[in-house]
Amino acid sequence: MMLGRKQLLIDGEWRDATGGQTMPVVNPATEDVIAEVAAAGSADVDAAVRAARAALSGPWGRLSARERGRLVWKLGERLMDRIDEVARLETLHNGKPIMESRHIELPMAAECLQYFAGWADKLHGETIPVKGKALVYTQREPLGVVAAIVPWNFPLLLAVWKVAPALATGNTVILKPASQTPLTALALGELAIEAGFPPGVLSIVTGSGATVGQALVDHPGIDKVAFTGDTSTGRGIMRSAADTLKHLTLELGGKSPNIVFPDADLDAAVRGATVGIFYGKGEVCAAGSRLLVDRAIKDQFLAKVAARTKKMVPGDPLDPKTRLGAIASKGQLERVLGYIEGARREGATLVAGGQRTDIGTGKGYFLQPTVFADVTPAMTIAREEIFGPVLAAIEFADVDEAIARANDSMYGLAAGVWTQDIKKAHYVASRLQAGTVWVNTYNVYDTAAPFGGYKQSGFGREMGRHALEYYTQVKTVWVDLG
Ligand code: NAD
């Protein structure tokens, strides 16, 4: 099935890339090319920046906060109206099960738009009692033009986590989706036009990270870069953004520990350990990819995890019953297989999965969900982000060793704790170096709850009230009353 040729959205118009180049979009479940999208260059980025700057001082800049909020709300409504179609696109270009895109992630994206729509007219400044005769007040103002650069694992949701607070607070946005998964960002552009956003308020530029992403990061007309992606890309962006001193938020990788104590509800912990790593094929920044299990229950617990894992069979992502889809790209499949091979070489014990597989069509980038036991903290699969359905089980002897092993990572995105002892749960939560700690649950999110990293998992927060601070700046006004 071919979805045709897709253009860039710049200044409210659909256009080809200036250089006329396009790039293919592949369905990872069939290996078919399903669309050609424009591959933008720096002239296109320039045009998008000009339009975004002009929009700041156009009708968009003159809207009241409430009217702005109403538009963002409407965008959420339009997304829900077209959710079946957009969810299908999300599944087609990423390989994720339609159950995840249609029933979890896109509804979350719509909710996120409507949550931030509600904040638009509730953010305000303060008056400050200073010495002397003066009235001093603050107001919150938008930063200006925001470049939102997002990865391929949650193409629309991670875009909306940036677009919603940025627009609700009065910025204009240029969105660059990952080159593998541009289709739903383009759909968001269509919905924004339908919702009535003025031209230039939301532009969508598709193309490679090295060209379009880098041009956005370097452009002096961009005020902020909101980035989600790999930690090494984030480091490069931080270096480049220094030249023009841009505001920056980075949501980067993770190697999150999921810690199981012997006093946990073990059946719930088994479910949490598997959902924690296999949701989204493990292509989840917060995936519970390190399973830390108390030595006393390790064998029994891992036997249950392995049994449950072996029952999880990848299927056609468009089938509503499928719970495990296709790895998002050939390159990613090869990368993950490389880690599996490396883990074997380093002496970890394979207890489930480990092989490429297919769904009877002989096509597609499918991988068996995989579990390794006897992983030591020094092994590569205990240290590096694999970004695939591979779980590394590591044992610990007591609470202190569990905490030390959990924190023994350059990352600090999330962590899970499984125990029925309330004191232990809160104590461990307080000691973990992670932006999110889940107790007796894993991989749950809410648009009102902030999410983001400690350590090299990045900085800034998305979702919740905290996100608003990263899209606004404070102006202090002094009025002489003397
Ligand atoms: P990536 O860093 O390769 O790409 C992310 C985006 O950056 C893409 O749009 C890409 O085109 C663009 N890009 C690449 N080079 C660039 C450059 N030099 N300048 C500007 N933009 C550039 O990451 P990926 O492989 O698409 O995504 C996987 C990574 O994302 C994983 O490491 C994962 O942990 C991380 N992630 C983090 C979170 C979080 O919230 N912390 C959420 C999801 C994914």
Side-chain angles (χ1 to χ4, degrees):
M1 182 211 6
M2 187 68 188
L3 298 167
R5 209 171 144 164
K6 306 279 176 188
Q7 295 174 300
L8 311 170
L9 176 60
I10 294 176
D11 206 7
E13 285 175 359
W14 294 100
R15 325 179 169 170
D16 287 333
T18 311
Q21 283 101 335
T22 63
M23 59 187 190
V25 180
V26 173
N27 176 349
T30 60
E31 303 179 37
D32 293 332
V33 171
I34 51 170
E36 288 286 334
V37 300
S42 53
D44 303 304
V45 168
D46 229 28
V49 174
R50 252 182 282 121
R53 294 225 73 85
L56 285 172
S57 45
W60 175 247
R62 292 192 292 273
L63 283 185
S64 71
R66 192 158 304 151
E67 287 166 327
R68 217 167 53 219
R70 208 171 287 141
L71 275 179
V72 177
W73 179 275
K74 215 162 149 194
L75 183 56
E77 261 175 1
R78 302 300 300 177
L79 178 55
M80 282 313 287
D81 290 345
R82 304 256 303 268
I83 192 164
D84 288 321
E85 178 194 334
V86 183
R88 189 177 158 80
L89 290 178
E90 194 79 317
T91 284
L92 285 174
H93 64 183
N94 167 282
K96 63 176 70 238
I98 193 80
M99 191 283 289
E100 295 180 1
S101 50
R102 169 65 184 82
H103 297 289
I104 299 179
E105 294 159 24
L106 266 57
M108 275 173 79
E111 206 170 66
C112 179
L113 285 160
Q114 299 194 330
Y115 171 84
F116 282 107
W119 269 114
D121 62 358
K122 293 169 195 68
L123 253 197
H124 45 67
E126 34 192 13
T127 53
I128 300 180
V130 293
K131 63 183 180 199
K133 287 188 178 163
L135 166 66
V136 175
Y137 63 91
T138 62
Q139 52 196 51
R140 280 197 170 267
E141 297 186 349
L143 295 174
V145 180
V146 173
I149 303 179
V150 297
W152 43 260
N153 57 336
F154 295 97
L156 189 70
L157 185 59
L158 295 180
V160 165
W161 282 7
K162 298 163 180 59
V163 169
L167 293 181
T169 50
N171 299 279
T172 55
V173 179
I174 302 173
L175 170 61
K176 193 211 100 56
S179 39
Q180 299 89 335
T181 53
L183 301 176
T184 45
L186 293 167
L188 188 70
E190 267 176 46
L191 298 175
I193 293 176
E194 286 175 22
F197 281 88
V201 174
L202 177 63
S203 294
I204 319 288
V205 284
T206 50
S208 78
T211 307
V212 178
Q214 192 65 46
L216 287 167
V217 174
D218 291 339
H219 203 294
I222 302 263
D223 300 287
K224 177 197 164 112
V225 174
F227 172 78
T228 298
D230 201 67
T231 294
S232 63
T233 316
R235 282 192 201 104
I237 287 178
M238 195 166 170
R239 268 184 226 111
S240 304
D243 287 340
T244 42
L245 227 62
K246 289 184 173 56
H247 293 257
L248 193 58
T249 40
L250 297 175
E251 300 288 352
L252 309 173
K255 190 76 197 176
S256 299
N258 206 354
I259 311 170
V260 183
F261 290 104
D263 55 10
D265 171 344
L266 292 185
D267 289 332
V270 169
R271 282 194 300 278
T274 49
V275 168
I277 183 66
F278 300 132
Y279 183 91
K281 312 157 264 164
E283 296 163 353
V284 179
C285 51
S289 51
R290 285 186 295 150
L291 179 63
L292 303 188
V293 191
D294 189 292
R295 189 178 293 158
I297 55 161
K298 185 193 76 174
D299 291 340
Q300 162 204 3
F301 190 78
L302 285 183
K304 286 188 178 196
V305 168
R308 196 178 165 90
T309 302
K310 284 176 188 159
K311 284 195 208 133
M312 300 186 67
V313 180
D316 176 0
L318 286 172
D319 181 339
K321 291 192 290 297
T322 296
R323 295 293 176 268
L324 199 63
I327 301 298
S329 66
K330 185 161 184 268
Q332 186 61 14
L333 175 71
E334 283 164 1
R335 210 175 96 92
V336 178
L337 284 168
Y339 275 110
I340 291 174
E341 190 44 44
R344 283 191 164 126
R345 255 199 329 269
E346 289 184 39
T349 309
L350 183 69
V351 294
Q355 302 285 332
R356 183 175 179 173
T357 181
D358 72 55
I359 56 169
T361 57
K363 292 276 190 168
Y365 311 128
F366 294 94
L367 183 65
Q368 293 173 334
T370 299
V371 180
F372 279 102
D374 305 319
V375 176
T376 64
M379 286 182 189
T380 310
I381 55 161
R383 311 207 69 78
E384 295 186 9
E385 180 177 48
I386 298 174
F387 222 53
V390 181
L391 183 63
I394 303 167
E395 64 173 45
F396 62 81
D398 55 30
V399 173
D400 286 337
E401 191 175 53
I403 294 167
R405 292 207 156 160
N407 289 338
D408 178 20
S409 171
M410 72 168 187
Y411 296 112
L413 192 54
V417 181
W418 296 84
T419 175
Q420 299 195 70
D421 176 341
I422 194 166
K423 280 191 190 172
K424 194 191 288 176
H426 288 294
Y427 172 70
V428 174
S430 74
R431 298 273 312 273
L432 290 172
Q433 296 160 349
T436 295
V437 177
W438 286 296
V439 177
N440 296 331
T441 184
Y442 205 91
N443 255 346
V444 285
Y445 302 85
D446 188 283
T447 191
F451 179 77
Y454 274 28
K455 302 197 279 188
Q456 293 191 43
S457 289
F459 47 78
R461 288 294 177 270
E462 299 199 290
M463 301 195 287
R465 179 173 53 78
H466 293 78
L468 299 163
E469 286 166 28
Y470 297 98
Y471 291 94
T472 52
Q473 52 197 341
V474 175
K475 177 177 282 171
T476 307
V477 181
W478 286 73
V479 184
D480 178 33
L481 299 181

